[in-house]
Amino acid sequence: MAGTVILTGANSSAGLYASEHLLKTYPQYTAVFTVRSTADTDVNTNSLRNIISRYPKANASIHQLDLADLTAVHDFATQISNDIASGKYPPIKSIICNAYYWNLVDDPELTVDGFDKSIQVGHIAHVALILRLLDRFSPDGGRIELLSSVAHYRKKTSMSPYLPEIPDDLDLLIHPKPDADKQGRGFQRYGTLKLVITTWMYPLNEYLQKDPKLSKITAVAVNPGNLGDSRAFRTNTPNSIKYMQKFVMKPLMPLIRRFADPTFRPSSEAGVDIIELGVGKADDGERGYYTLLEKDEPDPTVLDKEKQHKIWVKSAEWAKIK
């Protein structure tokens, strides 16, 4: 086998297309798909099962992984590590951190670990998973792909008047304050999540490059585009956003893409690119920030060395990595 590819959020909008592209285009890899629920009543996980059924020769499995529970994340990492050690799975080629969570209609939610749910699901849990499994990568190296977003840029948007930010007191990331503006602050938390993810990628690469055993592993953060058909716009969002997707984003997608935002595209295209960057180009030796499949410049805040160091140290602490 060529290696194991771990994809979180495999039953998400882009995740389903990414899963199919992986099985169809790179059948030599062992696919480990994680989802929040493997219940037979979960329509999105059933969609993933249907995709896998179309590729009977593929070596693919679905694993329940609640990223809002760090004990579950560490247990999963232990199991994957043991399975690789025993030969059940080949060494890791790629870890693709696709899962995230947002809520634009309620106050910040806390997980069982006491952290804001958005930052834990989208970042802290992935930090734990990655750092626990670094020694299970192939000796030939591989790729860690983090999902960023255009929302990480510190610019006002129609979704929120508040800028994403890395505060001096990093505890505000895990314990954000409630606010009357649920949508504005909720989207700010999402943008801040993507800002933190992108920032963390840089010291991760430094850590990898300093260790001869890990130096062939490369980390990238990618803005996959604005996905106008994503289920996210119908999940934990106010009716105004749901209506905007139904009557503007989806029917006018070609026009928006042509005249306003060239990265505005369907989840199907993003899913393909996620796999191409995370698997197809896993051995290209490149590191850094991407927009779609092209190298790009992140928000300048991301390149602040002091912020990078603080985020690196705190992320490991939150993820319970010693």
Side-chain angles (χ1 to χ4, degrees):
M1 290 292 181
T4 294
V5 175
I6 300 174
L7 172 66
T8 69
N11 63 353
S12 67
S13 296
L16 289 171
Y17 289 107
S19 298
E20 177 146 31
H21 188 66
L22 174 62
L23 299 179
K24 180 180 180 180
T25 311
Y26 301 101
Q28 69 270 33
Y29 289 98
T30 297
V32 173
F33 298 133
T34 81
V35 298
R36 185 179 60 82
S37 172
T38 55
D40 292 339
T41 53
D42 190 305
V43 295
N44 301 313
T45 300
N46 284 337
S47 294
L48 180 59
R49 291 189 178 102
N50 289 337
I51 288 171
I52 294 173
S53 70
R54 295 200 287 269
Y55 302 91
K57 295 183 179 180
N59 190 353
S61 55
I62 302 174
H63 302 256
Q64 182 162 304
L65 177 58
D66 185 357
L67 297 171
D69 182 347
L70 282 177
T71 298
V73 175
H74 281 279
D75 287 347
F76 174 77
T78 297
Q79 185 61 56
I80 293 296
S81 180
N82 290 341
D83 287 344
I84 293 173
S86 70
K88 179 179 179 180
Y89 297 142
I92 295 170
K93 192 62 183 178
S94 305
I95 297 178
I96 302 174
C97 301
N98 172 62
Y100 76 93
Y101 176 86
W102 74 359
N103 194 324
L104 310 188
V105 292
D106 289 314
D107 285 331
E109 303 166 78
L110 296 183
T111 67
V112 293
D113 300 291
F115 300 141
D116 172 65
K117 191 171 183 179
S118 293
I119 197 76
Q120 176 164 333
V121 170
H123 176 61
I124 298 173
H126 287 135
V127 170
L129 186 64
I130 290 166
L131 296 184
R132 284 287 311 279
L133 292 175
L134 284 179
D135 64 346
R136 293 305 185 194
F137 268 78
S138 167
D140 296 330
R143 171 141 291 166
I144 296 165
E145 183 178 8
L146 310 175
L147 270 289
S148 183
S149 167
V150 68
H152 94 276
Y153 288 102
R154 301 190 72 254
K155 298 177 181 178
K156 290 184 179 180
T157 72
S158 60
M159 296 283 281
S160 174
Y162 312 111
L163 302 182
E165 62 177 343
I166 296 177
D168 291 334
D169 180 4
L170 294 186
D171 282 343
L172 290 174
L173 292 175
I174 58 172
H175 299 130
K177 297 178 180 179
D179 193 284
D181 186 353
K182 309 303 183 190
Q183 176 183 321
R185 292 301 184 186
F187 192 79
Q188 182 191 35
R189 289 194 299 275
Y190 170 75
T192 295
L193 161 67
K194 298 302 185 178
L195 183 63
V196 168
I197 288 171
T198 309
T199 301
W200 185 75
M201 180 264 298
Y202 286 88
L204 171 61
N205 270 318
E206 290 182 3
Y207 178 81
L208 295 172
Q209 289 174 289
K210 289 178 182 178
D211 189 331
K213 294 181 180 179
L214 305 176
S215 62
K216 292 182 180 179
I217 304 171
T218 59
V220 297
V222 59
N223 163 24
N226 282 319
L227 312 184
D229 61 350
S230 172
R231 293 199 312 269
F233 289 111
R234 304 188 298 277
T235 306
N236 299 328
T237 56
N239 287 333
S240 58
I241 291 179
K242 294 174 183 176
Y243 294 147
M244 182 174 291
Q245 183 189 45
K246 183 176 181 180
F247 297 111
V248 179
M249 292 181 184
K250 293 175 75 173
L252 300 182
M253 187 180 295
L255 293 177
I256 296 172
R257 183 175 189 171
R258 181 175 181 180
F259 296 109
D261 179 1
T263 74
F264 198 83
R265 62 181 184 160
S267 300
S268 56
E269 293 183 15
V272 169
D273 283 356
I274 286 170
I275 294 303
E276 286 305 309
L277 185 60
V279 181
K281 299 178 180 292
D283 294 321
D284 66 4
E286 296 292 335
R287 307 170 190 267
Y289 181 74
Y290 283 74
T291 294
L292 310 190
L293 291 178
E294 300 296 326
K295 272 285 192 72
D296 205 352
E297 291 297 321
D299 187 273
T301 300
V302 167
L303 303 178
D304 184 313
K305 289 291 186 181
E306 183 178 356
K307 282 185 168 61
Q308 289 178 6
H309 176 71
K310 288 181 177 179
I311 288 294
W312 174 256
V313 172
K314 270 295 184 181
S315 296
E317 175 187 319
W318 295 332
K320 301 179 182 178
I321 299 293
K322 297 180 180 179

